[in-house]
Amino acid sequence: MAEIWAGVDIGKTHHHCVVINADGTRLLSRRVANDESALLALIGDVLEVSADALWAVDLNHGGAALLIGLLVSHGQPVVYLTGLAVHRASATYKGEGKTDAKDAFVIADQARVRRDLGLLRPGDEIAVDLRTLTTRRLDAVFDRTRQINRLRAQLLEIFPALERVLELTNRGPVMLLTGYQTPAAIRRAGASRIEMWLKNRKVRGAAALAKMAVEAARAQQTALPGEKLAATMVVRLAKGVMALDAEIAELDALIEATFREHPHAEVIRSLPGMGAKLGAEFLAATGGDMDAFGSPDRLAGFAGLAPRPRDSGRVSGNLRRPRRYHRGLLRTMYLSAMVSLQCCPASKAFYDRKRSEGKGHKQALLALARRRLNVLWAMIRDGECFHASPPVTRAG
């Protein structure tokens, strides 16, 4: 057990640190800049009070990254309390005011009295790189969806017939819009010229796409107000979608190459339904270190796959998903379970059994995801790739 507890209320440019002893007495209270020299001075001053210190923070990324990195490099234990936990705990302390100093004290005191806080364990270098890459890829995918929605809205104002027939999630239709946007321009060019223009840009199904565009142009003979400027906006938006497509493809290549360098990559990929992208997201979410969770049950709770009881009075057996869990890890396991139904007989058999027990599609998939998480845990623990169990034969 530690002798002192240092709670740090994390900020963007400054933090506030409060150090208390076993009686809850404040030994130090200081506002410190989020700067390496200032943070090193703080660490030195705290260790002068006692070398047996436990640090607690209310943020584990962003502005807290430098402080956590310095603490880990100095061999200092760090625990993490969520901002929601700190907010709820603050209501049980005297006074209604809210200051950084009070929040830092609450963080330190909660670290002193609670025994359920796990130590922060920074992931290995590859896992940190994968977290950066997968986070950026997810942002790029969201940006692409928003850009496509804006493109549809802009095209709808001048050429609804074309907007209705184009599937803008595909490369070909988006490429078409970089060259042709209005009914008159498409009618002047004709199907043959548009087809050749698309083929020169290596668009698949160029003939069918060109024919579809010309038919839509013939269905609208009227030029709507603002068509000329709107067409330039369509070009700009379409090029933005293509730029995001190129970035996503580049990120996919980087993610796969980085993932293959991880020592657990071969083991994780051997699990049916777990490819390079989902495997990379798994490592990014867990840090690649299963020892940090202690057991597959704790990992399942972290992923939101371990239901929590919410019983009261006569109500018992009321299981609900926890409110706090890693949504990215849940998404990874859910999607891999869905894919495994197409390529893994064992997963399909487990899913069918759950459906026969009366569970819905989503419930059965979540149960399968939990089962697969246990299997993946054991695979990584033992360093063994997945192999289907051999069929049991009866003695003749």
Side-chain angles (χ1 to χ4, degrees):
M1 185 175 177
E3 291 184 0
I4 60 172
W5 291 261
V8 185
D9 181 54
I10 301 296
K12 183 177 180 180
T13 59
H14 290 79
H15 311 318
H16 198 102
C17 178
V18 169
V19 179
I20 62 175
N21 60 14
D23 297 327
T25 303
R26 299 192 189 205
L27 306 178
L28 181 148
S29 180
R30 180 191 301 176
R31 178 179 169 87
V32 57
N34 189 15
D35 177 77
E36 182 173 351
S37 58
L39 293 175
L40 287 173
L42 172 67
I43 294 173
D45 292 344
V46 172
L47 294 181
E48 283 185 5
V49 177
S50 173
D52 189 6
L54 177 64
W55 296 76
V57 294
D58 64 340
L59 191 67
N60 60 1
H61 63 279
L66 179 58
L67 173 62
I68 294 174
L70 291 173
L71 290 172
V72 170
S73 65
H74 283 74
Q76 295 297 297
V78 188
V79 296
Y80 164 61
L81 287 85
T82 65
L84 180 61
V86 176
H87 173 72
R88 289 175 174 173
S90 296
T92 64
Y93 289 78
K94 182 174 61 176
E96 297 182 0
K98 182 187 183 306
T99 63
D100 293 344
K102 179 182 177 182
D103 288 343
F105 174 80
V106 172
I107 294 169
D109 198 46
Q110 287 293 299
R112 178 178 67 90
V113 300
R114 293 180 60 168
R115 298 293 179 266
D116 60 338
L117 301 177
L119 294 177
L120 278 179
R121 295 172 181 260
D124 55 49
E125 188 73 19
I126 297 176
V128 173
D129 289 345
L130 287 174
R131 186 180 304 126
T132 301
L133 290 170
T134 54
T135 299
R136 176 53 200 156
R137 185 187 186 277
L138 193 60
D139 288 342
V141 169
F142 290 158
D143 290 342
R144 180 179 182 270
T145 300
R146 285 190 287 266
Q147 192 84 336
I148 288 175
N149 290 337
R150 296 186 189 107
L151 178 57
R152 283 195 174 280
Q154 188 67 73
L155 186 60
L156 187 63
E157 292 187 358
I158 60 171
F159 201 169
L162 186 61
E163 186 276 336
R164 187 164 52 248
V165 299
L166 291 186
E167 183 56 59
L168 295 181
T169 55
N170 296 332
R171 175 179 175 272
V174 177
M175 178 65 76
L176 172 68
L177 292 177
T178 63
Y180 302 92
Q181 308 84 34
T182 64
I186 292 176
R187 287 195 300 270
R188 284 194 304 268
S192 299
R193 184 180 298 176
I194 294 176
E195 178 184 350
M196 185 60 64
W197 187 86
L198 292 172
K199 284 183 176 179
N200 291 337
R201 286 154 180 79
K202 300 180 181 180
V203 173
R204 295 180 179 179
L209 181 57
K211 180 181 177 182
M212 187 186 304
V214 171
E215 290 176 354
R218 289 172 180 168
Q220 181 177 328
Q221 300 293 326
T222 303
L224 298 177
E227 182 182 82
K228 184 176 180 180
L229 179 59
T232 62
M233 293 296 105
V234 168
V235 174
R236 180 174 298 183
L237 291 169
K239 288 181 177 179
V241 173
M242 295 184 66
L244 287 169
D245 283 338
E247 182 181 0
I248 292 171
E250 182 182 355
L251 287 170
D252 287 343
L254 285 171
I255 288 171
E256 183 163 2
T258 306
F259 172 71
R260 289 181 181 277
E261 296 176 2
H262 198 277
H264 297 326
E266 184 179 356
V267 173
I268 294 173
R269 288 202 65 174
S270 69
L271 184 67
M274 187 69 81
K277 293 188 186 70
L278 293 179
E281 291 179 7
F282 176 83
L283 289 175
T286 60
D289 182 11
M290 297 297 101
D291 294 337
F293 298 96
S295 70
D297 292 336
R298 289 194 64 183
L299 178 60
F302 180 68
L305 291 170
R308 303 294 177 85
R310 295 189 65 186
D311 298 345
S312 179
R314 297 180 180 178
V315 178
S316 61
N318 185 22
L319 300 177
R320 299 290 181 88
R321 182 181 299 166
R323 293 182 180 179
R324 292 187 290 113
Y325 58 92
H326 196 292
R327 283 159 176 77
L329 183 55
L330 175 62
R331 171 184 171 276
T332 298
M333 299 309 302
Y334 187 87
L335 290 179
S336 69
M338 187 180 299
V339 175
S340 71
L341 295 179
Q342 309 299 322
C343 60
C344 181
S347 294
K348 186 66 167 62
F350 182 88
Y351 170 84
D352 291 339
R353 186 169 82 247
K354 291 300 176 181
R355 291 304 304 270
S356 66
E357 293 173 0
K359 295 186 181 297
H361 170 69
K362 185 176 180 180
Q363 290 177 313
L365 268 181
L366 288 173
L368 176 59
R370 171 63 187 275
R371 175 71 171 267
R372 287 167 52 83
L373 191 65
N374 291 345
V375 172
L376 186 57
W377 168 277
M379 290 165 53
I380 295 175
R381 178 198 62 195
D382 300 335
E384 294 186 3
C385 294
F386 178 84
H387 53 84
S389 300
V392 179
T393 58
R394 296 179 179 275

